[in-house]
Amino acid sequence: MPEGAPRTTHFFATMGETLSVAGPLSIITSLSNPKIKETVKLREGKYRRRTKKFIIDGIRELDRAIQAGIRILEIFTVHPSVPYTHTIIRQVTEPVFRKIAYGDRDDGIVAVAEEPGLTFELFEAKISQKTNPLIAVVEKISKPGNLGAVFRSADAAGFDAVMIADLHLDPFHYNSIRSSLGTVFHVLTVSAPSAEICRWLLDKQFQIAAAWCSGNTIPYTAIDFCRPTAIVLGSEAEGLSHVWSGEKITGMTLPMQGIADSLNVSVAAGILFYEARRQRTFR
């Protein structure tokens, strides 16, 4: 049998029931194993997008992906058995696991998953079912950790969706997933050019509140977030493009009392998202 071929064993759950669990027949020990080499390549954005597969590091993130209906293709683990079914389980040695894992994790689990189809048509159909939606729009964010943190704040504040404008990276980058704590799987999302997203929001009569560091703006606390609203944030390096200016868009700013002229985008997102939630909760 080939190295790492799967089999089925049993796992005894804490409540006493027996679950069918895929367990390995042999352990993958070679760093040159084709499956290991392919998994490592999924850390590369181009390969990830071409194959439409991505990596999930850690039990919490994997559990949240499964809860959201993400299709898990295979799991690599240092454990002899794990409580997951309906997928291929491959046991690996510690050195092999360190090669495919990202960062220092004690979970001992890395999964390969199929990227879900995120079409604008599907996004629009789901948003149309929402009453008085709140949407976050992020433009040209280049750091995956920041994107993941925005998803985490959006989930915590009860936002209905995150739209990614002028995509610089995808939400299924391994660091985006980790920074989001797996919430990226539960928040509705779509990617499109900034101009297309802006036209769609205006056509659907969303209030567009764009965060600017300067210019013709009002304090964020003066915005009425109790109507259908899209909060738009840009990267720290570039800010927002000209698409997000004009008479149909409300510019807002966060007061800066020190020498810094801007906040990390994920920090600004948390402040703005919870102001919107505060208004909707207490008005």
Side-chain angles (χ1 to χ4, degrees):
M1 296 293 289
E3 181 188 43
R7 69 175 183 187
T8 299
T9 59
H10 290 89
F11 172 84
F12 292 92
T14 55
M15 295 302 293
E17 74 274 24
T18 301
L19 304 178
S20 177
V21 177
L25 182 62
S26 62
I27 301 175
I28 297 178
T29 60
S30 173
L31 299 178
S32 300
N33 181 285
K35 283 292 181 181
I36 300 306
K37 294 171 71 173
E38 181 185 14
T39 301
V40 171
K41 286 187 69 175
L42 288 173
R43 300 290 181 190
E44 304 171 7
K46 289 183 179 180
Y47 188 75
R48 187 173 65 249
R49 288 186 287 273
R50 185 169 73 248
T51 59
K52 298 190 181 301
K53 296 190 291 186
F54 64 97
I55 292 176
I56 303 171
D57 294 275
I59 293 175
R60 174 177 52 197
E61 290 81 356
L62 176 57
D63 286 346
R64 288 177 175 173
I66 292 171
Q67 292 166 10
I70 299 295
R71 186 184 175 208
I72 307 303
L73 301 175
E74 55 188 341
I75 293 173
F76 296 89
T77 180
V78 297
H79 306 299
S81 63
V82 289
Y84 297 103
T85 59
H86 309 300
T87 192
I88 296 171
I89 309 295
R90 303 185 191 278
Q91 189 178 0
V92 300
T93 61
E94 290 283 356
V96 171
F97 184 80
R98 287 195 296 270
K99 184 175 180 64
I100 62 175
Y102 171 71
D104 297 324
R105 300 295 293 260
D106 297 326
D107 307 45
I109 286 181
V110 167
V112 175
E114 183 179 77
E115 183 178 300
L118 303 174
T119 66
F120 209 104
E121 292 73 20
L122 178 61
F123 176 88
E124 186 173 17
K126 290 188 175 183
I127 279 293
S128 67
Q129 300 172 12
K130 304 292 184 179
T131 301
N132 197 19
L134 266 175
I135 292 177
V137 180
V138 290
E139 183 186 58
K140 295 181 179 178
I141 292 182
S142 59
K143 296 180 179 179
N146 282 341
L147 181 60
V150 169
F151 269 91
R152 183 176 176 181
S153 294
D155 173 78
F159 270 54
D160 296 296
V162 174
M163 304 182 81
I164 305 174
D166 287 350
L167 181 69
H168 275 208
L169 53 88
D170 63 81
F172 303 116
H173 186 285
Y174 49 89
N175 202 15
S176 295
I177 295 171
R178 183 173 185 177
S179 296
S180 79
L181 298 185
T183 58
V184 68
F185 303 122
H186 289 264
V187 179
L188 182 63
T189 188
V190 73
S191 302
S194 292
E196 182 180 344
I197 290 177
C198 186
R199 284 195 301 270
W200 181 83
L201 290 170
L202 291 172
D203 182 62
K204 299 301 180 182
Q205 299 184 329
F206 276 83
Q207 171 186 228
I208 301 177
W212 290 89
C213 293
S214 60
N216 185 21
T217 62
I218 61 176
Y220 75 99
T221 51
I223 303 286
D224 179 8
F225 291 111
C226 293
R227 52 183 286 199
T229 299
I231 294 177
V232 188
L233 300 126
S235 70
E236 296 171 61
E238 301 182 41
L240 291 171
S241 68
H242 70 278
V243 170
W244 305 104
S245 61
E247 61 180 18
K248 294 182 179 180
I249 294 172
T250 302
M252 61 178 172
T253 188
L254 285 82
M256 305 296 295
Q257 305 298 332
I259 62 173
D261 60 1
S262 67
L263 293 173
N264 176 280
V265 64
S266 63
V267 174
I271 294 170
L272 295 171
F273 294 174
Y274 267 93
E275 172 60 18
R277 179 51 52 201
R278 183 194 68 80
Q279 290 187 18
R280 291 184 171 216
T281 301
F282 295 107
R283 283 191 181 181

Tab-separated table of all heavy atoms in Angstrom, residues 54-104:
chain	number	residue	atom	x	y	z
A	54	PHE	N	-7.550	25.427	-0.771
A	54	PHE	CA	-6.829	26.227	0.207
A	54	PHE	C	-6.596	25.426	1.477
A	54	PHE	O	-7.179	24.346	1.663
A	54	PHE	CB	-7.572	27.526	0.516
A	54	PHE	CG	-8.928	27.334	1.160
A	54	PHE	CD1	-9.077	27.415	2.538
A	54	PHE	CD2	-10.058	27.093	0.388
A	54	PHE	CE1	-10.315	27.248	3.141
A	54	PHE	CE2	-11.306	26.928	0.980
A	54	PHE	CZ	-11.431	27.004	2.357
A	55	ILE	N	-5.735	25.972	2.339
A	55	ILE	CA	-5.331	25.278	3.560
A	55	ILE	C	-6.023	25.891	4.778
A	55	ILE	O	-6.167	27.112	4.883
A	55	ILE	CB	-3.805	25.354	3.741
A	55	ILE	CG1	-3.106	24.528	2.657
A	55	ILE	CG2	-3.372	24.862	5.113
A	55	ILE	CD1	-1.601	24.621	2.710
A	56	ILE	N	-6.419	25.028	5.690
A	56	ILE	CA	-6.978	25.458	6.972
A	56	ILE	C	-6.077	24.916	8.073
A	56	ILE	O	-5.868	23.699	8.165
A	56	ILE	CB	-8.416	24.946	7.174
A	56	ILE	CG1	-9.324	25.417	6.032
A	56	ILE	CG2	-8.968	25.393	8.523
A	56	ILE	CD1	-10.699	24.780	6.045
A	57	ASP	N	-5.541	25.808	8.895
A	57	ASP	CA	-4.677	25.406	10.004
A	57	ASP	C	-5.469	25.441	11.313
A	57	ASP	O	-6.036	26.477	11.675
A	57	ASP	CB	-3.491	26.364	10.135
A	57	ASP	CG	-2.555	26.305	8.948
A	57	ASP	OD1	-1.674	25.438	8.940
A	57	ASP	OD2	-2.711	27.129	8.032
A	58	GLY	N	-5.513	24.340	12.031
A	58	GLY	CA	-6.068	24.364	13.377
A	58	GLY	C	-7.477	23.809	13.508
A	58	GLY	O	-8.287	23.862	12.577
A	59	ILE	N	-7.768	23.284	14.695
A	59	ILE	CA	-9.058	22.639	14.961
A	59	ILE	C	-10.206	23.641	14.955
A	59	ILE	O	-11.255	23.394	14.367
A	59	ILE	CB	-9.001	21.894	16.312
A	59	ILE	CG1	-8.036	20.707	16.210
A	59	ILE	CG2	-10.391	21.408	16.727
A	59	ILE	CD1	-7.810	19.988	17.522
A	60	ARG	N	-10.033	24.789	15.613
A	60	ARG	CA	-11.118	25.769	15.681
A	60	ARG	C	-11.519	26.235	14.287
A	60	ARG	O	-12.707	26.264	13.939
A	60	ARG	CB	-10.699	26.965	16.531
A	60	ARG	CG	-11.703	28.123	16.548
A	60	ARG	CD	-11.228	29.223	17.474
A	60	ARG	NE	-9.867	29.622	17.159
A	60	ARG	CZ	-9.071	30.314	17.979
A	60	ARG	NH1	-9.508	30.657	19.168
A	60	ARG	NH2	-7.846	30.641	17.621
A	61	GLU	N	-10.530	26.586	13.477
A	61	GLU	CA	-10.814	27.060	12.136
A	61	GLU	C	-11.438	25.957	11.287
A	61	GLU	O	-12.363	26.198	10.503
A	61	GLU	CB	-9.530	27.573	11.495
A	61	GLU	CG	-9.003	28.867	12.096
A	61	GLU	CD	-8.207	28.672	13.387
A	61	GLU	OE1	-8.132	27.515	13.865
A	61	GLU	OE2	-7.659	29.658	13.910
A	62	LEU	N	-10.939	24.719	11.435
A	62	LEU	CA	-11.499	23.601	10.684
A	62	LEU	C	-12.945	23.341	11.083
A	62	LEU	O	-13.817	23.128	10.225
A	62	LEU	CB	-10.646	22.349	10.907
A	62	LEU	CG	-11.155	21.050	10.272
A	62	LEU	CD1	-11.342	21.198	8.780
A	62	LEU	CD2	-10.195	19.897	10.593
A	63	ASP	N	-13.225	23.352	12.372
A	63	ASP	CA	-14.598	23.121	12.836
A	63	ASP	C	-15.551	24.169	12.280
A	63	ASP	O	-16.681	23.863	11.869
A	63	ASP	CB	-14.651	23.128	14.360
A	63	ASP	CG	-14.060	21.865	14.972
A	63	ASP	OD1	-13.848	20.889	14.230
A	63	ASP	OD2	-13.805	21.855	16.196
A	64	ARG	N	-15.102	25.425	12.249
A	64	ARG	CA	-15.967	26.494	11.743
A	64	ARG	C	-16.163	26.387	10.234
A	64	ARG	O	-17.228	26.740	9.714
A	64	ARG	CB	-15.404	27.856	12.151
A	64	ARG	CG	-15.583	28.097	13.643
A	64	ARG	CD	-14.996	29.401	14.138
A	64	ARG	NE	-15.333	29.581	15.555
A	64	ARG	CZ	-14.863	30.551	16.323
A	64	ARG	NH1	-14.034	31.459	15.815
A	64	ARG	NH2	-15.217	30.635	17.592
A	65	ALA	N	-15.158	25.901	9.541
A	65	ALA	CA	-15.314	25.668	8.106
A	65	ALA	C	-16.349	24.573	7.854
A	65	ALA	O	-17.219	24.700	6.978
A	65	ALA	CB	-13.974	25.287	7.490
A	66	ILE	N	-16.269	23.497	8.615
A	66	ILE	CA	-17.215	22.399	8.463
A	66	ILE	C	-18.630	22.863	8.788
A	66	ILE	O	-19.590	22.544	8.074
A	66	ILE	CB	-16.807	21.213	9.357
A	66	ILE	CG1	-15.501	20.600	8.840
A	66	ILE	CG2	-17.903	20.158	9.415
A	66	ILE	CD1	-14.893	19.566	9.766
A	67	GLN	N	-18.782	23.644	9.852
A	67	GLN	CA	-20.097	24.180	10.219
A	67	GLN	C	-20.691	25.039	9.108
A	67	GLN	O	-21.910	25.099	8.925
A	67	GLN	CB	-19.988	24.998	11.503
A	67	GLN	CG	-19.682	24.189	12.753
A	67	GLN	CD	-19.248	25.059	13.918
A	67	GLN	OE1	-19.343	26.283	13.862
A	67	GLN	NE2	-18.762	24.427	14.970
A	68	ALA	N	-19.830	25.710	8.359
A	68	ALA	CA	-20.287	26.589	7.279
A	68	ALA	C	-20.513	25.841	5.972
A	68	ALA	O	-20.903	26.449	4.979
A	68	ALA	CB	-19.268	27.710	7.065
A	69	GLY	N	-20.246	24.540	5.971
A	69	GLY	CA	-20.491	23.743	4.780
A	69	GLY	C	-19.349	23.704	3.790
A	69	GLY	O	-19.532	23.283	2.636
A	70	ILE	N	-18.154	24.122	4.222
A	70	ILE	CA	-16.983	24.045	3.351
A	70	ILE	C	-16.613	22.582	3.130
A	70	ILE	O	-16.582	21.787	4.077
A	70	ILE	CB	-15.792	24.804	3.977
A	70	ILE	CG1	-16.144	26.291	4.165
A	70	ILE	CG2	-14.546	24.638	3.120
A	70	ILE	CD1	-16.383	27.046	2.887
A	71	ARG	N	-16.331	22.215	1.902
A	71	ARG	CA	-15.966	20.828	1.595
A	71	ARG	C	-14.498	20.576	1.933
A	71	ARG	O	-13.608	21.218	1.381
A	71	ARG	CB	-16.209	20.518	0.122
A	71	ARG	CG	-15.975	19.059	-0.222
A	71	ARG	CD	-16.125	18.818	-1.705
A	71	ARG	NE	-15.772	17.439	-2.040
A	71	ARG	CZ	-15.294	17.041	-3.197
A	71	ARG	NH1	-15.098	17.930	-4.160
A	71	ARG	NH2	-14.999	15.785	-3.417
A	72	ILE	N	-14.259	19.661	2.856
A	72	ILE	CA	-12.908	19.307	3.277
A	72	ILE	C	-12.434	18.126	2.430
A	72	ILE	O	-13.059	17.071	2.413
A	72	ILE	CB	-12.873	18.947	4.776
A	72	ILE	CG1	-13.503	20.073	5.619
A	72	ILE	CG2	-11.434	18.678	5.211
A	72	ILE	CD1	-12.862	21.433	5.449
A	73	LEU	N	-11.329	18.322	1.741
A	73	LEU	CA	-10.821	17.299	0.830
A	73	LEU	C	-9.936	16.277	1.535
A	73	LEU	O	-10.013	15.080	1.241
A	73	LEU	CB	-10.043	17.964	-0.310
A	73	LEU	CG	-10.848	18.971	-1.145
A	73	LEU	CD1	-9.941	19.642	-2.170
A	73	LEU	CD2	-12.026	18.293	-1.823
A	74	GLU	N	-9.090	16.735	2.451
A	74	GLU	CA	-8.241	15.826	3.212
A	74	GLU	C	-7.688	16.544	4.436
A	74	GLU	O	-7.639	17.779	4.484
A	74	GLU	CB	-7.096	15.280	2.347
A	74	GLU	CG	-6.233	16.319	1.692
A	74	GLU	CD	-5.252	15.705	0.698
A	74	GLU	OE1	-5.004	14.488	0.777
A	74	GLU	OE2	-4.727	16.447	-0.146
A	75	ILE	N	-7.302	15.754	5.412
A	75	ILE	CA	-6.765	16.271	6.664
A	75	ILE	C	-5.423	15.598	6.935
A	75	ILE	O	-5.297	14.375	6.835
A	75	ILE	CB	-7.730	16.019	7.839
A	75	ILE	CG1	-9.010	16.854	7.672
A	75	ILE	CG2	-7.057	16.340	9.181
A	75	ILE	CD1	-10.078	16.542	8.706
A	76	PHE	N	-4.428	16.398	7.280
A	76	PHE	CA	-3.115	15.893	7.708
A	76	PHE	C	-3.008	16.113	9.214
A	76	PHE	O	-3.311	17.202	9.711
A	76	PHE	CB	-1.994	16.641	6.987
A	76	PHE	CG	-1.986	16.442	5.503
A	76	PHE	CD1	-2.708	17.286	4.673
A	76	PHE	CD2	-1.263	15.410	4.923
A	76	PHE	CE1	-2.712	17.114	3.299
A	76	PHE	CE2	-1.255	15.221	3.546
A	76	PHE	CZ	-1.983	16.078	2.734
A	77	THR	N	-2.576	15.102	9.922
A	77	THR	CA	-2.529	15.204	11.371
A	77	THR	C	-1.395	14.363	11.949
A	77	THR	O	-0.987	13.360	11.348
A	77	THR	CB	-3.870	14.761	11.999
A	77	THR	OG1	-3.794	14.862	13.432
A	77	THR	CG2	-4.217	13.329	11.620
A	78	VAL	N	-0.910	14.778	13.098
A	78	VAL	CA	0.083	13.983	13.812
A	78	VAL	C	-0.595	12.976	14.731
A	78	VAL	O	0.066	12.115	15.317
A	78	VAL	CB	1.026	14.887	14.641
A	78	VAL	CG1	1.817	15.808	13.737
A	78	VAL	CG2	0.247	15.695	15.688
A	79	HIS	N	-1.919	13.060	14.862
A	79	HIS	CA	-2.654	12.189	15.778
A	79	HIS	C	-3.036	10.878	15.085
A	79	HIS	O	-3.336	10.862	13.884
A	79	HIS	CB	-3.909	12.897	16.278
A	79	HIS	CG	-3.636	14.238	16.896
A	79	HIS	ND1	-2.833	14.397	18.002
A	79	HIS	CD2	-4.031	15.486	16.531
A	79	HIS	CE1	-2.763	15.684	18.312
A	79	HIS	NE2	-3.470	16.366	17.427
A	80	PRO	N	-3.080	9.767	15.816
A	80	PRO	CA	-3.445	8.480	15.218
A	80	PRO	C	-4.906	8.402	14.792
A	80	PRO	O	-5.263	7.614	13.919
A	80	PRO	CB	-3.125	7.466	16.319
A	80	PRO	CG	-3.172	8.266	17.583
A	80	PRO	CD	-2.678	9.634	17.230
A	81	SER	N	-5.789	9.196	15.399
A	81	SER	CA	-7.193	9.249	14.992
A	81	SER	C	-7.756	10.614	15.348
A	81	SER	O	-7.301	11.260	16.302
A	81	SER	CB	-8.022	8.148	15.659
A	81	SER	OG	-8.030	8.317	17.063
A	82	VAL	N	-8.712	11.070	14.583
A	82	VAL	CA	-9.331	12.383	14.799
A	82	VAL	C	-10.834	12.279	14.565
A	82	VAL	O	-11.290	11.432	13.793
A	82	VAL	CB	-8.731	13.451	13.865
A	82	VAL	CG1	-7.319	13.809	14.264
A	82	VAL	CG2	-8.783	13.002	12.418
A	83	PRO	N	-11.642	13.119	15.220
A	83	PRO	CA	-13.104	13.014	15.117
A	83	PRO	C	-13.684	13.702	13.885
A	83	PRO	O	-14.545	14.577	13.990
A	83	PRO	CB	-13.569	13.695	16.414
A	83	PRO	CG	-12.542	14.730	16.665
A	83	PRO	CD	-11.238	14.110	16.237
A	84	TYR	N	-13.230	13.323	12.714
A	84	TYR	CA	-13.767	13.885	11.475
A	84	TYR	C	-14.115	12.749	10.527
A	84	TYR	O	-13.377	11.767	10.413
A	84	TYR	CB	-12.756	14.823	10.814
A	84	TYR	CG	-12.427	16.032	11.665
A	84	TYR	CD1	-11.220	16.089	12.375
A	84	TYR	CD2	-13.316	17.097	11.787
A	84	TYR	CE1	-10.920	17.187	13.163
A	84	TYR	CE2	-13.024	18.191	12.578
A	84	TYR	CZ	-11.816	18.232	13.266
A	84	TYR	OH	-11.527	19.311	14.059
A	85	THR	N	-15.234	12.887	9.840
A	85	THR	CA	-15.689	11.864	8.908
A	85	THR	C	-15.831	12.446	7.512
A	85	THR	O	-15.713	13.646	7.299
A	85	THR	CB	-17.045	11.296	9.356
A	85	THR	OG1	-17.998	12.373	9.430
A	85	THR	CG2	-16.945	10.626	10.724
A	86	HIS	N	-16.101	11.564	6.557
A	86	HIS	CA	-16.397	11.964	5.171
A	86	HIS	C	-15.235	12.707	4.514
A	86	HIS	O	-15.469	13.599	3.681
A	86	HIS	CB	-17.674	12.809	5.112
A	86	HIS	CG	-18.843	12.184	5.807
A	86	HIS	ND1	-19.363	10.962	5.449
A	86	HIS	CD2	-19.572	12.595	6.872
A	86	HIS	CE1	-20.372	10.665	6.234
A	86	HIS	NE2	-20.515	11.627	7.111
A	87	THR	N	-14.019	12.380	4.878
A	87	THR	CA	-12.863	12.945	4.208
A	87	THR	C	-11.678	12.003	4.377
A	87	THR	O	-11.752	11.025	5.138
A	87	THR	CB	-12.524	14.343	4.743
A	87	THR	OG1	-11.572	14.964	3.872
A	87	THR	CG2	-11.946	14.284	6.157
A	88	ILE	N	-10.593	12.286	3.710
A	88	ILE	CA	-9.387	11.467	3.800
A	88	ILE	C	-8.508	11.994	4.926
A	88	ILE	O	-8.263	13.197	5.020
A	88	ILE	CB	-8.610	11.502	2.472
A	88	ILE	CG1	-9.446	10.860	1.357
A	88	ILE	CG2	-7.266	10.792	2.599
A	88	ILE	CD1	-8.856	11.037	-0.022
A	89	ILE	N	-8.073	11.106	5.789
A	89	ILE	CA	-7.184	11.462	6.887
A	89	ILE	C	-5.802	10.878	6.597
A	89	ILE	O	-5.675	9.688	6.291
A	89	ILE	CB	-7.688	10.916	8.241
A	89	ILE	CG1	-9.146	11.292	8.479
A	89	ILE	CG2	-6.790	11.414	9.369
A	89	ILE	CD1	-9.396	12.771	8.625
A	90	ARG	N	-4.775	11.712	6.699
A	90	ARG	CA	-3.403	11.245	6.481
A	90	ARG	C	-2.568	11.591	7.716
A	90	ARG	O	-2.407	12.763	8.037
A	90	ARG	CB	-2.808	11.891	5.232
A	90	ARG	CG	-3.617	11.655	3.965
A	90	ARG	CD	-2.915	12.219	2.746
A	90	ARG	NE	-3.786	12.218	1.579
A	90	ARG	CZ	-4.008	11.170	0.788
A	90	ARG	NH1	-3.412	10.010	1.070
A	90	ARG	NH2	-4.804	11.244	-0.253
A	91	GLN	N	-2.071	10.571	8.386
A	91	GLN	CA	-1.204	10.813	9.533
A	91	GLN	C	0.212	11.097	9.044
A	91	GLN	O	0.714	10.460	8.118
A	91	GLN	CB	-1.192	9.622	10.489
A	91	GLN	CG	-0.473	9.933	11.803
A	91	GLN	CD	-0.507	8.768	12.777
A	91	GLN	OE1	-1.066	7.720	12.476
A	91	GLN	NE2	0.100	8.952	13.942
A	92	VAL	N	0.862	12.083	9.672
A	92	VAL	CA	2.217	12.481	9.279
A	92	VAL	C	3.090	12.568	10.523
A	92	VAL	O	2.604	12.666	11.648
A	92	VAL	CB	2.213	13.849	8.555
A	92	VAL	CG1	1.368	13.793	7.287
A	92	VAL	CG2	1.709	14.959	9.476
A	93	THR	N	4.387	12.537	10.318
A	93	THR	CA	5.321	12.718	11.422
A	93	THR	C	5.425	14.194	11.781
A	93	THR	O	4.990	15.072	11.028
A	93	THR	CB	6.714	12.201	11.036
A	93	THR	OG1	7.180	12.948	9.906
A	93	THR	CG2	6.679	10.719	10.712
A	94	GLU	N	6.005	14.498	12.919
A	94	GLU	CA	6.162	15.874	13.364
A	94	GLU	C	6.954	16.725	12.360
A	94	GLU	O	6.557	17.842	12.037
A	94	GLU	CB	6.822	15.917	14.748
A	94	GLU	CG	5.943	15.416	15.889
A	94	GLU	CD	4.891	16.440	16.317
A	94	GLU	OE1	4.904	17.566	15.777
A	94	GLU	OE2	4.071	16.098	17.176
A	95	PRO	N	8.093	16.240	11.837
A	95	PRO	CA	8.836	17.053	10.850
A	95	PRO	C	8.007	17.349	9.598
A	95	PRO	O	8.071	18.456	9.055
A	95	PRO	CB	10.057	16.190	10.528
A	95	PRO	CG	10.246	15.334	11.736
A	95	PRO	CD	8.861	15.021	12.206
A	96	VAL	N	7.247	16.372	9.139
A	96	VAL	CA	6.405	16.587	7.959
A	96	VAL	C	5.315	17.603	8.280
A	96	VAL	O	5.024	18.488	7.471
A	96	VAL	CB	5.791	15.258	7.479
A	96	VAL	CG1	4.742	15.510	6.390
A	96	VAL	CG2	6.870	14.326	6.965
A	97	PHE	N	4.739	17.470	9.452
A	97	PHE	CA	3.684	18.412	9.839
A	97	PHE	C	4.221	19.833	9.902
A	97	PHE	O	3.556	20.783	9.474
A	97	PHE	CB	3.067	18.015	11.181
A	97	PHE	CG	1.906	18.892	11.571
A	97	PHE	CD1	0.657	18.679	11.019
A	97	PHE	CD2	2.074	19.948	12.468
A	97	PHE	CE1	-0.416	19.502	11.348
A	97	PHE	CE2	1.024	20.766	12.803
A	97	PHE	CZ	-0.232	20.539	12.240
A	98	ARG	N	5.413	20.017	10.451
A	98	ARG	CA	5.996	21.355	10.544
A	98	ARG	C	6.212	21.958	9.160
A	98	ARG	O	6.150	23.175	8.989
A	98	ARG	CB	7.311	21.314	11.320
A	98	ARG	CG	7.130	21.115	12.826
A	98	ARG	CD	8.401	21.452	13.587
A	98	ARG	NE	9.504	20.559	13.236
A	98	ARG	CZ	9.755	19.415	13.868
A	98	ARG	NH1	8.973	19.028	14.873
A	98	ARG	NH2	10.780	18.661	13.508
A	99	LYS	N	6.427	21.114	8.174
A	99	LYS	CA	6.635	21.606	6.809
A	99	LYS	C	5.346	22.162	6.199
A	99	LYS	O	5.366	23.149	5.466
A	99	LYS	CB	7.184	20.493	5.913
A	99	LYS	CG	7.524	20.951	4.498
A	99	LYS	CD	8.173	19.838	3.710
A	99	LYS	CE	8.511	20.291	2.284
A	99	LYS	NZ	9.521	21.366	2.271
A	100	ILE	N	4.208	21.562	6.519
A	100	ILE	CA	2.957	21.995	5.908
A	100	ILE	C	2.167	22.968	6.776
A	100	ILE	O	1.279	23.668	6.278
A	100	ILE	CB	2.057	20.786	5.552
A	100	ILE	CG1	1.668	20.010	6.818
A	100	ILE	CG2	2.739	19.890	4.536
A	100	ILE	CD1	0.687	18.889	6.549
A	101	ALA	N	2.476	23.041	8.075
A	101	ALA	CA	1.711	23.892	8.984
A	101	ALA	C	2.225	25.329	8.938
A	101	ALA	O	3.367	25.602	8.580
A	101	ALA	CB	1.791	23.349	10.407
A	102	TYR	N	1.336	26.260	9.319
A	102	TYR	CA	1.693	27.676	9.370
A	102	TYR	C	1.741	28.136	10.820
A	102	TYR	O	0.757	28.017	11.546
A	102	TYR	CB	0.676	28.521	8.601
A	102	TYR	CG	0.859	30.005	8.778
A	102	TYR	CD1	1.939	30.666	8.208
A	102	TYR	CD2	-0.041	30.757	9.527
A	102	TYR	CE1	2.116	32.028	8.370
A	102	TYR	CE2	0.125	32.115	9.694
A	102	TYR	CZ	1.208	32.750	9.113
A	102	TYR	OH	1.383	34.101	9.278
A	103	GLY	N	2.882	28.664	11.241
A	103	GLY	CA	3.001	29.191	12.593
A	103	GLY	C	3.098	28.091	13.633
A	103	GLY	O	3.156	26.899	13.338
A	104	ASP	N	3.121	28.502	14.870
A	104	ASP	CA	3.227	27.566	15.991
A	104	ASP	C	1.834	27.191	16.467
A	104	ASP	O	1.150	27.987	17.115
A	104	ASP	CB	4.031	28.196	17.143
A	104	ASP	CG	5.462	28.499	16.743
A	104	ASP	OD1	6.020	27.707	15.970
A	104	ASP	OD2	6.004	29.528	17.189
